[in-house]
Amino acid sequence: GFTTAFADYILMDPSEEYGPIFALMQEKIYMSKIVVEFLQKNRDATYEDLLNKIETTVPPAGLNFNCFTEDTLLRHAQFVVEQVES
């Protein structure tokens, strides 16, 4: 969403032109959420434990993807690491 001097706008669905960009951002956001929450609860976890958590997590309904994989994590690794650090 965004705010102007006239109103607050909450965007529910992207246009077809911006759909792929929006889907990529949602994937990054949910992957970061999974990793951060997992690491907060499991400080002594291994990489394999994290992968198991990622691969067994079902993404929220209505998104353009239906599973998370190690490739998903690696594709967004820089973004995820920055989120974990912050």
Side-chain angles (χ1 to χ4, degrees):
F2 62 96
T3 301
T4 69
F6 303 103
D8 293 328
Y9 299 90
I10 298 174
L11 307 175
M12 301 304 288
D13 294 312
S15 69
E16 288 183 24
E17 181 179 351
Y18 295 106
I21 296 167
F22 188 70
L24 181 64
M25 184 53 67
Q26 284 182 313
E27 191 177 71
K28 284 181 177 183
I29 291 167
Y30 285 109
M31 177 59 66
S32 297
K33 181 180 185 303
I34 292 167
V35 171
V36 168
E37 288 177 352
F38 178 79
L39 292 176
Q40 286 176 334
K41 295 176 184 172
N42 303 285
R43 297 200 180 265
D44 297 324
T46 65
Y47 181 70
E48 288 75 22
D49 295 334
L50 176 60
L51 285 181
N52 183 52
K53 175 64 176 173
I54 288 168
E55 292 173 349
T56 58
T57 299
V58 178
L63 301 179
N64 292 340
F65 51 95
N66 59 7
C67 68
F68 293 112
T69 64
E70 182 176 16
D71 288 339
T72 310
L73 176 62
L74 296 176
R75 185 170 47 253
H76 303 303
Q78 183 65 40
F79 181 82
V80 171
V81 167
E82 289 170 2
Q83 296 305 304
V84 168
E85 286 178 336
S86 69

